[in-house]
Amino acid sequence: MHSPPHLTLLPTPPARPGWLRYAAPQRFYPLAGRLIPWLALAAALFAAAGLYVGLVKAPVDSQQGEVYRILFIHVAAAWMSMFLYLVMALYAALGLILQTRLSFMMMRALAPTGALFTFLTLWTGALWGKPTWGAWWVWDARLTSELILLFLYLGFMALQAASDDPRRGDRGGAILLLAGVVNVPIIYFSVRWWSTLHQGASINLTTAPSMARVMLAAMLLMVIAFWLYSAAASLARVRGIIAEREPAATEPARERR
């Protein structure tokens, strides 16, 4: 009597407490799919609210006039450009130390969104700078370091695309991210460390905001909208990466507990 043929099944990761169980791509894939539409809807609602408050309800600035409204998008995009790079660097460190596959995948998934917000920061900064400074671009310390951040994002994505071996690309990209993380505090503190045309921070953790409450509300609404969009876009992108690298993880599987 012949023995039944051997079947190769996707191994079910061992049970882990709490959210750690979703560190496995097999479990994270369906979770991401459930979260994406809710995050995208919330991002659209917060963006609509932020634009309404910033463009309609906020008063005209006494010094800059109507052009200051660009800053509601510019500042939120600048914050996200730095924040997403730090998150990528954190995933890079986790991937190198713990060898977690999902960390490297999330690192790659966040890069295009981070590059988008960095470009948006530079573009809106130019739109604001022309009527305010009289020039589209100046080699200001903060602008220059933000431009370097864009090059870091683009360099990371180019390195990933050029590597034939995903594991080698992951390690090389992680090292590049960790080496470039020093640029983030340079961006943030550049207006304090050097003589610069760029204005200082309007929001500080240690002092009261130097803007009207309605302006602050518009800016925070846009920050939340950009954060929700980043989460939705990155989760959608990581699902594609999981499907490419581990297609078995995307198949309907037996209940994983």
Side-chain angles (χ1 to χ4, degrees), residues 16 20 22-25 90-107 167 170-171 174 245-246:
R16 295 182 179 182
L20 290 178
Y22 293 108
L90 176 61
Y91 277 122
L94 291 175
L96 290 175
I97 296 172
L98 303 179
Q99 295 298 310
T100 49
R101 306 189 308 280
L102 186 61
S103 295
F104 288 129
M105 295 178 188
M106 285 300 302
M107 177 184 73
R167 293 184 179 180
D170 288 341
R171 291 192 298 270
R245 291 192 176 189
E246 302 183 16

Side-chain angles (χ1 to χ4, degrees), residues 111-187:
T113 306
L116 171 64
F117 280 121
T118 308
F119 174 79
L120 186 60
T121 301
L122 295 169
W123 180 52
T124 54
L127 292 178
W128 176 82
K130 178 60 176 178
T132 305
W133 294 341
W136 296 105
W137 177 267
V138 294
W139 290 103
D140 176 84
R142 176 161 287 181
L143 292 179
T144 304
S145 53
E146 186 74 16
L147 179 62
I148 292 173
L149 182 64
L150 178 61
F151 290 155
L152 287 171
Y153 276 119
L154 296 179
F156 171 83
M157 291 189 291
L159 180 61
Q160 300 296 299
S163 178
D164 295 330
D165 183 358
R167 293 184 179 180
R168 183 181 301 173
D170 288 341
R171 291 192 298 270
I175 294 172
L176 174 62
L177 287 174
L178 293 175
V181 77
V182 68
N183 187 57
V184 175
I186 291 177
I187 296 173

Side-chain angles (χ1 to χ4, degrees), residues 41 83 90 97-98 117 125 135 190 199 205 210-211 218 228 232 248-249:
L41 176 60
F83 174 73
L90 176 61
I97 296 172
L98 303 179
F117 280 121
S190 58
Q199 67 185 56
L205 295 178
S210 60
M211 61 175 65
L228 291 168

Side-chain angles (χ1 to χ4, degrees), residues 46-52 54 71-73 76-77 80 117 216-228:
F46 273 96
L51 291 174
Y52 173 75
L71 297 180
F72 293 127
I73 295 176
M80 289 308 303
F117 280 121
L216 177 62
M219 190 170 295
L220 293 180
L221 284 170
M222 292 307 301
V223 170
I224 296 172
F226 285 173
W227 184 89
L228 291 168

